[in-house]
């Protein structure tokens, strides 16, 4: 049975395979069938080189018995169905994998398809002004030393800076598994500023609720929906990391790789726990808002009921003496009118002070 990691444990030292800058920003790269392609030889990027097809890149990096270690990454931005079918045929991908690549709309997952590894990731970005989480769906196909990274279902006006996904030299030298973990780290790191943005909005909603803002419930529901979507995008990554940690790729994991993977898992576990806390906190805030709204309604009902009772006695007195029966001595009394008015004022004033003393008014 796999042991779940404690989200509150002390963080490890930063592993050597983790990088904080944009590692691939200086790589020249080339193209494969018109798509950006980067090929590495023993960790160093090969100068600009163009290939006619993605299959050519695959043959170049996966040539057997090479004295050097090669690795290739090809980026496809919203490719057409024809593009996917073409490169899938060149790499001899399975029919089920091709269907997933074409369909899109996949939840994060890790699967084996023949001799290819297929991973789906959703990278979040928080739009603070709209309190909205946008997701970029990434499909990553690994075939030995070749990675094909496909961007699907991305925000319409979002330009893809794919160079930010390029691994560092140490990660490339550590092998394809380290590059795969780097892609996971790329998504997990993106979730951390999203969590900070949501934390700020949750704090604002708390103040909004206690000031009685009627717009608070709608904002709570809207933010809760975004938190749930973020949770659905990140929670499956826990299982993906565990699968990789327990040898899903079929290759031995070195200590350096394990340290890097544990570091990614640390960040992910803390972020997932924080998101669950947001969801619980928003539920509690909504309950508090409902309680405060009920209290305000009760106060309003007290005020309305008090004024209703105050007006009831004068209305009753006026109704009685307005019936115009012949045998009503007070109607012919010299001071009957003043007496009725005085009785109305006295009863209304007495009830007003009674309710005022009870804080109903």
């Amino acid at each position: 049975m796999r042991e779940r990691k404690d989200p509150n444990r002390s963080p490890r030292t930063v592993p050597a395979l983790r990088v904080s800058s944009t590692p691939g920003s200086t790589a020249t790269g080339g193209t494969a069938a018109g798509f950006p392609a980067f090929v590495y030889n023993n960790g160093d990027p090969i100068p600009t080189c163009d290939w006619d097809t993605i299959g050519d890149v695959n043959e170049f990096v996966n040539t057997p018995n090479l004295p050097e270690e090669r690795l290739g990454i090809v980026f496809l931005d919203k490719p057409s169905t024809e593009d996917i079918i073409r490169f899938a045929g060149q790499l001899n991908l399975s029919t089920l994998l091709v269907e997933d690549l074409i369909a899109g709309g996949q939840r994060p997952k890790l699967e084996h398809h023949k001799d290819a590894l297929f991973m789906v990731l959703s990278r979040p970005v928080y739009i603070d002004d709209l309190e909205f989480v946008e997701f970029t769906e990434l499909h990553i196909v690994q075939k030995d030393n070749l990675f094909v990274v496909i961007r699907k279902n991305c925000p319409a006006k979002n330009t893809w800076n794919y160079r930010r996904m390029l691994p560092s030299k140490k990660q490339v030298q550590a092998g394809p598994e380290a590059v795969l973990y780097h892609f996971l780290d790329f998504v997990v790191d993106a979730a951390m500023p999203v969590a900070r943005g949501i934390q700020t909005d949750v704090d604002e909603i708390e103040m909004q609720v206690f000031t009685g803002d009627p717009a608070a419930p709608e904002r709570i529901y809207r933010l809760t929906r975004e938190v749930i979507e973020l949770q659905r995008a990140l929670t499956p990554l826990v299982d993906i990391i565990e699968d990789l940690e327990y040898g899903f790729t079929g290759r031995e994991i070195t200590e350096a790789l394990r340290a890097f993977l544990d570091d990614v898992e640390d960040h992910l576990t803390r972020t997932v726990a924080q998101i669950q806390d947001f969801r619980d906190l928003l539920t509690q805030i909504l309950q508090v808002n409902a309680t405060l709204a009920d209290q305000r309604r009760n106060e309003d009902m007290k005020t309305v009921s008090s004024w209703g009772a105050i007006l009831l006695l004068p209305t009753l007195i006026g109704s009685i003496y307005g019936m115009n029966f012949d045998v009503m001595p007070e109607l012919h009394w010299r001071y009957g009118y003043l007496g009725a008015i005085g009785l109305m004022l006295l009863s209304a004033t007495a009830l007003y002070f009674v309710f005022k003393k009870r804080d109903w008014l």
Side-chain angles (χ1 to χ4, degrees):
M1 183 177 179
R2 297 178 182 177
E3 180 183 356
R4 289 283 182 178
K5 303 297 179 68
D6 181 8
N8 298 316
R9 68 186 188 275
S10 301
R12 294 180 174 86
T13 56
V14 178
L17 291 178
R18 173 175 283 279
V19 290
S20 57
S21 59
T22 306
S25 57
T26 59
T28 306
T31 61
F35 295 104
F38 298 84
V39 175
Y40 300 84
N41 193 355
N42 290 330
D44 295 317
I46 294 177
T48 304
C49 188
D50 296 328
W51 287 267
D52 293 332
T53 67
I54 297 176
D56 293 339
V57 182
N58 180 51
E59 291 179 6
F60 182 77
V61 299
N62 287 322
T63 301
N65 303 320
L66 288 174
E68 67 275 355
E69 186 72 21
R70 294 175 180 172
L71 186 137
I73 304 175
V74 182
F75 296 97
L76 279 66
D77 188 13
K78 293 175 285 187
S80 64
T81 300
E82 292 74 16
D83 291 330
I84 293 176
I85 293 175
R86 187 179 302 113
F87 94 80
Q90 294 164 5
L91 301 185
N92 194 27
L93 301 181
S94 70
T95 304
L96 290 177
L97 176 52
V98 175
E99 290 176 355
D100 284 348
L101 291 173
I102 294 174
Q106 306 286 321
R107 290 292 181 187
K109 61 181 180 179
L110 180 67
E111 294 178 343
H112 265 304
H113 290 272
K114 295 170 60 175
D115 56 347
L117 197 66
F118 178 51
M119 183 166 66
V120 179
L121 301 174
S122 291
R123 186 176 188 269
V125 175
Y126 193 55
I127 311 301
D128 189 54
D129 294 340
L130 303 177
E131 294 182 0
F132 179 72
V133 182
E134 288 187 333
F135 294 93
T136 297
E137 183 179 343
L138 298 172
H139 291 184
I140 300 171
V141 179
Q142 179 197 356
K143 188 161 186 181
D144 297 327
N145 290 347
L146 175 67
F147 290 90
V148 179
V149 182
I150 303 173
R151 185 173 78 148
K152 298 178 70 72
N153 300 339
C154 58
K157 297 182 180 180
N158 188 4
T159 303
W160 192 18
N161 186 7
Y162 53 82
R163 288 181 175 272
R164 296 177 58 193
M165 294 189 66
L166 292 175
S168 67
K169 180 176 180 178
K170 287 185 177 179
Q171 290 168 342
V172 174
Q173 289 176 334
E177 286 75 20
V179 176
L180 197 64
Y181 305 158
H182 165 71
F183 292 144
L184 277 168
D185 190 42
F186 176 73
V187 171
V188 173
D189 282 350
M192 299 172 73
V194 174
R196 288 194 294 269
I198 293 177
Q199 177 67 69
T200 300
D201 289 332
V202 169
D203 294 339
E204 292 176 359
I205 288 175
E206 284 184 306
M207 297 298 296
Q208 203 174 356
V209 165
F210 287 106
T211 55
D213 190 338
E218 180 183 355
R219 192 178 179 189
I220 294 171
Y221 282 120
R222 187 170 61 248
L223 192 59
T224 300
R225 180 188 60 197
E226 300 307 314
V227 168
I228 292 173
E229 287 297 322
L230 183 60
Q231 192 175 39
R232 288 175 178 172
L234 294 182
T235 301
L237 299 187
V238 176
D239 293 331
I240 290 177
I241 289 178
E242 288 187 351
D243 286 340
L244 292 174
E245 198 171 28
Y246 284 86
F248 192 82
T249 60
R251 301 188 184 186
E252 183 180 356
I253 299 179
T254 64
E255 287 303 318
L257 283 175
R258 190 174 297 279
F260 180 44
L261 190 58
D262 284 344
D263 187 67
V264 175
E265 187 177 16
D266 275 339
H267 292 179
L268 176 62
T269 303
R270 294 173 190 275
T271 304
V272 169
Q274 188 178 14
I275 292 169
Q276 181 61 47
D277 291 342
F278 289 152
R279 189 171 179 178
D280 295 339
L281 185 57
L282 286 169
T283 301
Q284 294 172 7
I285 292 175
L286 187 61
Q287 293 173 346
V288 170
N289 181 75
T291 301
L292 293 176
D294 288 339
Q295 290 178 349
R296 286 191 291 269
R297 281 193 291 268
N298 289 338
E299 293 299 322
D300 293 340
M301 286 299 298
K302 287 180 181 179
T303 302
V304 172
S305 300
S306 299
W307 283 112
I310 290 172
L311 295 176
L312 176 62
L313 282 181
T315 303
L316 179 62
I317 295 171
S319 299
I320 292 174
Y321 288 105
M323 290 188 292
N324 295 322
F325 288 113
D326 290 335
V327 185
M328 291 186 72
E330 292 84 356
L331 295 178
H332 305 288
W333 184 33
R334 182 178 180 181
Y335 302 103
Y337 172 74
L338 294 177
I341 295 297
L343 184 59
M344 291 179 186
L345 292 175
L346 180 62
S347 61
T349 303
L351 284 176
Y352 175 81
F353 282 109
V354 168
F355 290 128
K356 191 69 175 178
K357 186 176 181 180
R358 296 184 179 181
D359 292 329
W360 283 32
L361 292 174

